[in-house]
Amino acid sequence: MEKFTRLEGLAAPLDRANVDTDAIIPKQFLKSIKRTGFGPNLFDEWRYLDHGEPGMDNSRRPLNPNFVLNQPRYRGAQVLLARENFGCGSSREHAPWALADYGFRAIIAPGYADIFYNNCFKNGLLPIVLEPALVDRLFGETEATPGYRLVVDLEGQTVSTPAGEVFRFAVDEFRKHCLLNGLDDIGLTLRHVDKIRAYEERRRREAPWLFA
Amino acid sequence: MSAQTLYDKLWQQHVVHEEAGGTTLLYIDRHLVHEVTSPQAFEGLRLAGRKPWRTASVLAVADHNVPTKDRQDGIKDPVSRLQVETLDRNCADFAINEFRMGDARQGIVHVVGPEQGATLPGMTVVCGDSHTSTHGAFAALAFGIGTSEVEHVLATQCLMTKKSKVMQIMVDGRLGKGVTAKDVALAVIGEIGTAGGTGYAVEFAGSAIRSLSMEGRMTLCNMAIEAGARAGMVAVDETTLSYVRGRPFAPRGELWDRAAAYWRTLVSDPGARFDRVVRLDAARIAPLVTWGTSPEMVAAVDGRVPDPAREPDPVKRDGMERALAYMGLAPNTPIAEIAIDKVFIGSCTNSRIEDLRAAAQVVRGRRLAANVRLAMVVPGSGLVKRQAEQEGLDQVFIAAGFEWREPGCSMCLAMNADRLEPGERCASTSNRNFEGRQGPGGRTHLVSPAMAAAAAVAGRFVDVRRI
């Protein structure tokens, strides 16, 4: 997994609540058996005027000029500002894959759906939770200030604004450790092979029907 | 020991190792796999030279991409076909039990697991699918995971996770005639919102829940995720045990007795502490219809579409206005004046035998309304389909003008050929009314099977209590 340490990136505001994973990456793109290449279809139904299908040349499709990420000022954005309950709906990891493939490295929102939140950490994408009032302010400043960039420091757990304001965010210590070091979860778990085997031995005796 | 919740008991039984800070290795008893969220996990295993830890714990079935008619022709869309073939190949390569498309046991993974007894009380159950919460109806700890976690569970039989908070949702009293588990689920989501359960595992309790069949409990737990809760649960009782008994994967003989004795302990102890308690009065729940693009946007069938102008919160108001624009609805429209184009009876929420019986009961002797272009019934599994046919339900639907299809996820998410056209309005027994969910530009109203059937014959939403 790609490490995440410190990021200074352009912020882009996606000003709606309850953005679901069907919106982040529509179902027709889930047919892929690969992990990469989802970026051009991120927010596909909002982003393009036509209907997208796998295999299309996305560079030739008509863009929706009203969709925020299509505005030239947000090109190359790496920090996504979002609203409450971002990533609700399905468990599809294609959602963080699409966000990361597009170029986002961090999201700032008042809250996320649990499965999406969890999936982000497996993909070097940092979902930051800030108070709704603070997120609201960042929305205002981002929209009012072309080129508005935020600095995200995972080690120090801070988000800094261009004006020098610093906001602290909470993150689970273990997830932070994994993200800072780009650690592979499976490798970490397999350090405990003996414990897993011992657990299985005990359970085979206690609940043998589970191993029938 | 202090009083424990059902969730506490299930959690404690499965802890393999706990890190400082609470990150826990949780042992997984049952891993259900489908074609959409698994190919990258199997690829990951191969790249790392790893093998599944315990293949007997895995049960696989293709459901999202499978066609619901003309199966003898195979899957026409080559991208869908490749995904299903990839599952077939992965299961063959790793010696995983799979119900393939021609198998009568094939169906929606969340229908198949319980039907086979592959879901048992006391288990931890995971699947790369958010509706895995369904299996909590059996007092299992069941939740959806991402593809990285699918790979992790395949490789280690464990999940790295943290304990949730626990919410108890008490629904006491008697459900009115024509009011179903689906209406309870929508009422709960309407009450706490789609983020209300975020960070929680939910236990549904109370006399109304005890009175539900296993099918009803599955419908309810299925939609826990729509309230933001990864897991929904119902305690074990005789209803649970009599459903499980005799299923192909369920224990038999002396093992059954041992298992059942343990399963009976899978209830929250008196006095157990919950982080949040929500109470609903069953008698006050009406048949519900969603009017917007989030499952929390719900109204009673005898109510009206709300007016965003009355919503003080600007973010919510904006969401309501956007939803009404997408849905092509004006504020204050009576729900019963909303006409529909299509009807979908199916999905992991409502495609079990009891759902089909409830819908058939309404449809019997009636015809589809002239304005309904397509009404389809998609059974949850080949075995549900067979059972329904033995009861003659297929003929009831066909006589009324419905299409009787092969099992799969179908138009719940429209990954196969079944979908809404832009602007089409659907009465659907599925679980999500998100923009584009049932097809780009499609407009979904979530309802119970009986309400969907009633809408099919009336051509608009009608109160199933009055027909």
Side-chain angles (χ1 to χ4, degrees):
Chain A
M1 185 179 71
E2 199 175 342
K3 283 184 195 182
F4 187 108
T5 49
R6 186 181 175 280
L7 165 74
E8 186 191 343
L10 186 69
L14 185 65
D15 194 2
R16 50 167 98 190
N18 298 313
V19 171
D20 58 74
T21 55
D22 277 81
I24 296 173
I25 182 82
K27 83 278 287 178
Q28 61 270 33
F29 304 107
L30 312 190
K31 296 177 187 180
S32 168
I33 57 170
K34 301 201 184 95
R35 216 178 247 269
T36 52
F38 295 99
N41 300 111
L42 175 71
F43 301 120
D44 197 274
E45 283 185 24
W46 294 339
R47 195 162 145 200
Y48 300 98
L49 293 171
D50 64 346
H51 171 65
E53 283 291 335
M56 288 170 85
D57 180 353
N58 295 294
S59 66
R60 302 172 76 100
R61 296 176 57 200
L63 292 172
N64 175 2
N66 297 324
F67 182 58
V68 64
L69 294 185
N70 288 335
Q71 294 176 27
R73 58 180 285 199
Y74 296 122
R75 195 166 294 149
Q78 290 182 291
V79 180
L80 183 67
L81 288 178
R83 295 286 188 186
E84 190 56 58
N85 202 26
F86 188 80
C88 60
S90 89
S91 67
R92 60 187 73 166
E93 199 161 316
H94 312 68
W97 291 341
L99 286 159
D101 197 51
Y102 181 90
F104 287 114
R105 297 296 318 279
I107 313 172
I108 299 175
Y112 304 85
D114 286 340
I115 305 178
F116 173 82
Y117 183 75
N118 201 36
N119 284 340
C120 285
F121 284 96
K122 316 285 182 191
N123 293 283
L125 183 63
L126 178 63
I128 296 167
V129 178
L130 291 180
E131 286 297 312
L134 267 183
V135 174
D136 212 40
R137 249 179 68 199
L138 293 178
F139 263 98
E141 289 178 19
T142 303
E143 284 160 4
T145 323
Y148 188 82
R149 296 171 79 81
L150 290 168
V151 177
V152 176
D153 176 18
L154 178 56
E155 180 71 57
Q157 297 177 218
T158 56
V159 175
S160 312
T161 69
E165 281 184 292
V166 179
F167 307 120
R168 208 176 145 72
F169 62 88
V171 61
D172 175 69
E173 273 304 316
F174 186 77
R175 284 176 161 146
K176 175 180 168 180
H177 172 73
C178 291
L179 208 46
L180 281 173
N181 297 291
L183 296 178
D184 162 30
D185 279 0
I186 296 177
L188 289 174
T189 296
L190 288 175
R191 294 175 308 165
H192 301 295
V193 162
D194 292 348
K195 284 188 172 163
I196 303 172
R197 293 206 192 286
Y199 174 91
E200 280 184 328
E201 281 312 304
R202 177 166 66 78
R203 289 291 279 174
R204 263 179 220 279
R205 291 193 302 274
E206 290 172 357
W209 59 87
L210 293 173
F211 296 85
Chain B
M1 192 190 298
S2 62
Q4 286 186 303
T5 65
L6 168 59
Y7 176 77
D8 293 334
K9 293 179 185 181
L10 293 170
W11 178 271
Q12 192 183 321
Q13 281 288 355
H14 291 89
V15 173
V16 170
H17 171 74
E18 192 176 326
E19 302 271 352
T23 297
T24 300
L25 272 188
L26 201 68
Y27 190 82
I28 302 304
D29 296 314
R30 177 66 68 204
H31 188 182
L32 301 167
V33 167
H34 67 67
E35 79 277 21
V36 180
T37 54
S38 66
Q40 299 86 351
F42 283 111
E43 183 196 45
L45 282 189
R46 279 201 186 86
L47 289 174
R50 291 174 177 138
K51 284 194 159 53
W53 182 278
R54 186 159 75 84
T55 50
S57 70
V58 189
L59 179 62
V61 63
D63 53 9
H64 286 61
N65 283 279
V66 299
T68 58
K69 62 177 183 182
D70 304 327
R71 280 225 173 140
Q72 66 283 358
D73 301 341
I75 304 174
K76 291 197 186 91
D77 175 357
V79 196
S80 283
R81 189 170 63 235
L82 176 63
Q83 195 162 55
V84 173
E85 286 170 355
T86 302
L87 180 67
D88 293 348
R89 202 189 64 239
N90 284 328
C91 291
D93 287 357
F94 290 109
I96 285 167
N97 192 2
E98 183 197 7
F99 298 159
R100 292 197 178 195
M101 212 165 75
D103 193 314
R105 298 169 297 177
Q106 181 268 336
I108 307 171
V109 67
H110 307 307
V111 175
V112 168
E115 181 175 78
Q116 291 295 318
T119 301
L120 294 173
M123 274 184 164
T124 41
V125 180
V126 296
C127 176
D129 195 287
S130 60
H131 290 113
T132 309
S133 58
T134 309
H135 308 265
F138 293 83
L141 177 54
F143 44 84
I145 56 178
T147 297
S148 294
E149 291 178 319
V150 170
E151 183 182 341
H152 191 278
V153 175
L154 282 171
T156 70
Q157 209 58 41
C158 294
L159 197 62
M160 205 180 264
T161 185
K162 271 185 119 164
K163 207 170 175 185
S164 305
K165 292 180 285 183
V166 196
M167 185 188 302
Q168 184 187 45
I169 298 184
M170 286 289 277
V171 191
D172 277 313
R174 276 176 70 120
L175 292 173
K177 177 178 162 283
V179 181
T180 67
K182 180 62 162 286
D183 302 300
V184 177
L186 290 172
V188 166
I189 298 160
E191 175 74 21
I192 70 173
T194 50
T198 303
Y200 289 92
V202 168
E203 181 180 346
F204 296 100
S207 58
I209 307 301
R210 298 257 69 84
S211 308
L212 291 175
S213 65
M214 286 316 294
E215 283 86 350
R217 294 176 191 183
M218 283 189 257
T219 299
L220 187 58
C221 290
N222 172 277
M223 290 194 72
I225 185 67
E226 262 54 71
R230 267 181 105 168
M233 277 164 288
V234 176
V236 166
D237 61 9
E238 291 309 315
T239 305
T240 322
L241 298 184
S242 59
Y243 181 98
V244 173
R245 191 191 301 270
R247 305 246 163 209
F249 286 64
R252 287 163 202 281
E254 186 259 342
L255 262 191
W256 168 269
D257 296 338
R258 273 181 75 183
Y262 165 62
W263 293 341
R264 285 198 173 88
T265 69
L266 296 175
V267 299
S268 287
D269 296 330
R273 203 191 67 81
F274 292 89
D275 298 286
R276 186 179 169 194
V277 177
V278 173
R279 289 175 197 281
L280 269 78
D281 178 356
R284 294 175 65 109
I285 299 173
L288 298 172
V289 180
T290 64
W291 52 266
T293 53
S294 164
E296 70 187 26
M297 295 172 166
V298 68
V301 63
D302 51 6
R304 289 167 183 269
V305 173
D307 189 345
R310 295 186 181 186
E311 173 57 56
D313 177 344
V315 176
K316 269 196 179 158
R317 186 166 60 238
D318 181 51
M320 289 169 76
E321 283 167 354
R322 226 190 274 268
L324 290 181
Y326 181 85
M327 294 297 289
L329 290 173
N332 304 311
T333 305
I335 296 293
E337 284 178 15
I338 301 173
I340 55 158
D341 305 303
K342 284 185 175 171
V343 177
F344 173 63
I345 297 176
S347 86
C348 58
T349 311
N350 281 128
S351 64
R352 298 178 182 84
I353 190 68
E354 179 184 286
D355 302 317
L356 304 192
R357 285 176 191 147
Q361 197 185 334
V362 173
V363 164
R364 195 179 296 276
R366 297 187 168 100
R367 290 276 314 160
L368 288 189
N371 59 305
V372 174
R373 283 172 221 158
L374 172 72
M376 54 199 282
V377 183
V378 183
S381 72
L383 296 179
V384 169
K385 181 169 185 255
R386 183 188 291 171
Q387 170 78 28
E389 288 171 354
Q390 283 166 358
E391 297 179 16
L393 305 183
D394 58 326
Q395 294 308 317
V396 173
F397 288 117
I398 291 166
F402 280 78
E403 293 193 12
W404 178 249
R405 299 287 188 94
E406 301 290 336
C409 301
S410 181
M411 208 163 71
C412 173
L413 87 165
M415 257 186 98
N416 70 352
D418 308 333
R419 64 188 62 172
L420 299 180
E421 296 303 319
E424 279 187 333
R425 191 179 297 285
C426 183
S428 179
T429 68
S430 55
N431 41 57
R432 291 187 177 136
N433 51 357
F434 299 156
E435 285 185 24
R437 171 79 177 181
Q438 294 194 289
R443 294 162 172 166
T444 303
H445 296 270
L446 303 175
V447 288
S448 73
M451 283 286 289
V457 298
R460 59 183 173 81
F461 291 109
V462 288
D463 192 336
V464 72
R465 295 171 297 187
R466 300 225 171 87
I467 59 169

